[in-house]
């Protein structure tokens, strides 16, 4: 379904699980887990079906960022982290969600970091999964070289210095296989994606090049779980260590996964989802 969050702005939203569940003589309210997908240019489909395993402890809210996936196309000037971050609040207001648990994966983690800075009192909890606060290109290149040799390093550098259709095609073929340690069976997951490559090139070649999300993290007022794969080439481990160091010490929890790449919930699902479950349910 498409939900209006502002005049002429509709986001595609899919909700899994009831918000109120029978518990003896009462209806108990489950927290809403709002998932911010990666990209930019991708959609929410990468979270399915993996996150269904948390539907017993949270109502899962999947959505496509403004201009992405099945959401309404929007003009280029709206493709900013500030707009995407404010949309989290707009969507929650439209759905009647108070105090969400917000999980940002990769690019969704960029959005979640801006959300922390701009709306520090809005979330009950935040999860920053396999994300970065800055471009940190040399870190990426070193990890691609470690995992895929000189070719992977060269192709990654060509894309990140000049994101366009040609460099993206080579990057997809050569570099993306190193994102994760577990390979998805077949290509059905890729076929499910509604992809807007214009946003990818605009963001990767524009705002991402100069972004610095670290200063805003000091504003966090809720628990923040930082999850990092030690074998992640595109959002390397040190990026997550920087994020954890920038967050208030009393708010942050850091979890690293030795056998994981880009998304521990993909490569070490049992350990990652066990941690997420505990983080969701604990007071």
């Amino acid at each position: 379904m498409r939900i209006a969050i502002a005049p002429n702005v509709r986001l595609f939203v899919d909700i899994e699980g009831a918000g109120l569940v029978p518990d003896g003589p009462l209806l108990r309210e489950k927290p809403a887990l709002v998932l911010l997908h990666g990209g930019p240019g991708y959609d929410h489909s990468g979270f399915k079906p993996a996150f269904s395993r948390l539907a017993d402890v949270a109502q899962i809210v999947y959505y496509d960022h403004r201009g992405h996936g099945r959401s309404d196309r929007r003009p280029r000037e709206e493709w900013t982290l500030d707009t995407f971050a404010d949309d989290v609040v707009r969507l929650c207001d439209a759905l009647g969600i108070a105090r969400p648990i917000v999980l940002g994966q990769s690019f969704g983690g960029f959005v979640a970091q801006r959300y922390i800075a701009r709306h520090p009192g809005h979330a009950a909890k935040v999860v920053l999964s396999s994300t970065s606060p800055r471009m940190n290109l040399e870190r990426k290149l070193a990890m691609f070289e470690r995992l895929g040799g000189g070719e992977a390093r060269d192709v990654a550098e060509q894309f990140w210095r000049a994101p366009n259709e040609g460099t993206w095609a080579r990057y997809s073929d050569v570099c993306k296989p190193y994102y994760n340690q577990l390979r998805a069976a077949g290509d059905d997951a890729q076929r499910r994606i509604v992809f807007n490559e214009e946003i990818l090139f605009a963001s990767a070649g524009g705002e991402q090049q100069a972004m610095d999300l670290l200063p805003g993290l000091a504003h966090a007022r809720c628990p923040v779980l930082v999850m990092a794969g030690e074998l992640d080439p595109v959002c390397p481990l040190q990026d997550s260590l920087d994020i954890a160091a920038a967050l208030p010490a009393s708010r942050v929890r850091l979890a690293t996964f030795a056998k994981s790449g880009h998304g521990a919930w993909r490569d070490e699902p049992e350990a990652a989802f066990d941690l997420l479950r505990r983080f969701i349910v604990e007071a």
Side-chain angles (χ1 to χ4, degrees):
M1 58 184 169
R2 285 185 173 87
I3 299 294
I5 63 165
N8 301 315
V9 180
R10 297 179 304 165
L11 302 185
F12 178 84
V13 181
D14 206 4
I15 297 176
E16 182 172 6
L20 294 174
V21 293
D23 186 1
L26 303 174
L27 286 175
R28 173 173 49 84
E29 185 174 8
K30 291 191 295 186
L33 177 62
V34 180
L35 301 178
L36 314 186
H37 65 78
Y42 283 72
D43 64 9
H44 76 281
S45 63
F47 287 125
K48 295 175 175 176
F51 276 79
S52 293
R53 67 173 68 194
L54 296 177
D56 62 320
V57 294
Q59 186 177 52
I60 314 297
V61 180
Y62 307 90
Y63 79 97
D64 294 340
H65 298 298
R66 180 186 296 230
H68 291 66
R70 295 161 180 82
S71 292
D72 289 353
R73 290 292 186 261
R74 299 297 302 165
R76 185 187 183 102
E77 58 267 23
E78 296 181 10
W79 303 344
T80 69
L81 293 179
D82 285 353
T83 299
F84 298 138
D86 293 349
D87 281 349
V88 178
V89 177
R90 295 184 185 105
L91 177 62
C92 288
D93 287 347
L95 296 175
I97 296 173
R99 307 288 290 165
I101 300 173
V102 174
L103 182 151
Q105 164 67 27
S106 189
F107 171 78
F110 304 169
V111 177
Q113 289 174 76
R114 286 300 293 152
Y115 165 75
I116 288 172
R118 292 173 69 81
H119 306 282
H122 189 261
K125 302 173 185 177
V126 173
V127 181
L128 300 175
S129 172
S130 296
T131 192
S132 298
R134 297 171 175 155
M135 172 56 73
N136 293 322
L137 180 58
E138 287 303 319
R139 290 178 184 172
K140 298 183 197 300
L141 300 183
M143 278 301 297
F144 276 115
E145 185 171 16
R146 173 183 165 187
L147 296 173
E151 181 188 20
R153 179 191 175 98
D154 291 345
V155 171
E157 183 167 17
Q158 290 166 21
F159 170 72
W160 287 109
R161 291 197 184 280
N164 58 56
E165 188 173 348
T167 57
W168 173 246
R170 288 203 69 209
Y171 183 87
S172 296
D173 288 342
V174 174
C175 295
K176 289 202 72 178
Y178 296 108
Y179 272 38
N180 289 97
Q181 298 301 298
L182 295 182
R183 303 289 186 257
D187 57 359
D188 286 347
Q190 290 299 311
R191 291 174 178 170
R192 296 184 196 117
I193 297 168
V194 177
F195 184 46
N196 185 343
E197 66 179 19
E198 288 184 71
I199 295 180
L200 169 63
F201 303 147
S203 179
E207 188 173 22
Q208 289 185 49
Q209 295 290 325
M211 72 180 184
D212 184 0
L213 303 173
L214 290 175
L217 297 177
H219 299 296
R221 297 181 191 168
C222 67
V224 181
L225 172 61
V226 181
M227 300 175 66
E230 295 182 20
L231 301 176
D232 189 341
V234 69
C235 294
L237 173 62
Q238 187 60 50
D239 289 4
S240 288
L241 300 183
D242 289 347
I243 289 170
L247 287 159
S250 62
R251 306 290 191 188
V252 65
R253 181 183 308 178
L254 173 66
T256 64
F257 296 81
K259 300 178 182 179
S260 290
H262 196 55
W265 49 274
R266 295 181 174 119
D267 285 337
E268 297 180 72
E270 296 305 322
F273 279 109
D274 180 65
L275 175 62
L276 285 169
R277 176 179 294 273
R278 286 185 278 112
F279 185 68
I280 289 168
V281 303
E282 68 187 13

